[in-house]
Amino acid sequence: MAKEKDITPSNELGAYLMSKDISDIVIYSKTNIAPSDLSKLKSGRTKRLAAIKLYLISLAVGDSISDTIKAVYPDLDLIPSDEQKRYYSDITKNRTELGKYLANYERVENTKEDISTKTGIEVVRLKYLTENTDDHSLQKKRNPVLQAFELILIEKALEKERGEIFKHLFKDVKINTAELQEKLLEEERRKNALKRKKN
């Protein structure tokens, strides 16, 4: 099987969070996203931002997912139509939650092949994201984590409102309770105090 081409775009998460004046520790306490992971994402050392993490960050800062998407991926767009090659194929039966959602919109113009043509996301990747499979060789090779940019491009390809599919997929996702936030903040403060003591 050929290796998937990495089409991960850069993002403006660092600038976005700087404009919100919210610390990594506070985001961690609300979302469980480790401060070290946030630091890598903000600095651009890690470009791959999971869709669920972007959704949690939007909840943590108090912005709508639509506003967060607009700020973090301001230039993300579909492949220009003059570069798109249209082709079609059969749609398979086994679907993940995203696959079930897409099935409502798949017609001739919304097959995985068509979405791939519009977004640059390879068909095999779309299959990984949308189909449940018992094929263990495929399961080992795939990265099942839905990336934020992939979901944004899929929304655009389907002409959905910005953030609509995020809201559908993550409708049950919440930030941590106030009690858990306080506990995590205290743990992080203790860790930082120990680090300062060692130095």
Side-chain angles (χ1 to χ4, degrees), residues 86-105:
R86 293 195 146 337
Y87 56 94
Y88 307 103
S89 74
D90 293 337
I91 299 169
T92 57
K93 298 173 191 165
N94 296 325
R95 298 290 180 118
T96 64
E97 188 64 27
L98 176 60
K100 291 172 189 169
Y101 185 87
L102 291 178
N104 294 316
Y105 300 97

Side-chain angles (χ1 to χ4, degrees), residues 1-30:
M1 178 176 280
K3 187 177 180 201
E4 291 178 46
K5 179 175 69 171
D6 185 9
I7 60 167
T8 308
S10 59
N11 63 64
E12 300 296 326
L13 182 64
Y16 172 70
L17 290 176
M18 292 273 291
S19 74
K20 296 300 172 184
D21 195 31
I22 186 169
S23 74
D24 292 355
I25 294 172
V26 171
I27 293 172
Y28 164 68
S29 74
K30 292 182 176 190

Side-chain angles (χ1 to χ4, degrees), residues 5 28 43 47 78 97 105 138-139 148-149 157 187 197:
K5 179 175 69 171
Y28 164 68
S43 70
K47 291 190 322 182
L78 298 174
E97 188 64 27
Y105 300 97
L138 285 179
Q139 289 175 346
F149 82 92
E187 287 175 6
K197 237 181 196 182

Side-chain angles (χ1 to χ4, degrees), residues 1 94 124 128 131-142:
M1 178 176 280
N94 296 325
V124 69
Y128 290 157
E131 298 174 9
N132 292 316
T133 181
D134 291 330
D135 186 341
H136 297 293
S137 64
L138 285 179
Q139 289 175 346
K140 289 178 189 173
K141 294 179 181 179
R142 72 189 210 173

Side-chain angles (χ1 to χ4, degrees), residues 143-158:
N143 173 7
V145 177
L146 176 61
Q147 299 299 307
F149 82 92
E150 292 171 323
L151 192 50
I152 295 164
L153 288 173
I154 291 168
E155 285 181 335
K156 287 180 177 228
L158 296 176

Side-chain angles (χ1 to χ4, degrees), residues 22-35 38 56 60 174-189:
I22 186 169
S23 74
D24 292 355
I25 294 172
V26 171
I27 293 172
Y28 164 68
S29 74
K30 292 182 176 190
T31 67
N32 289 348
I33 301 171
L38 282 167
L56 281 165
K174 308 275 187 263
I175 60 174
N176 292 331
T177 63
E179 296 82 25
L180 183 55
Q181 288 180 42
E182 191 53 45
K183 179 182 174 192
L184 292 171
L185 282 170
E186 187 55 39
E187 287 175 6
E188 202 60 32
R189 286 183 193 117

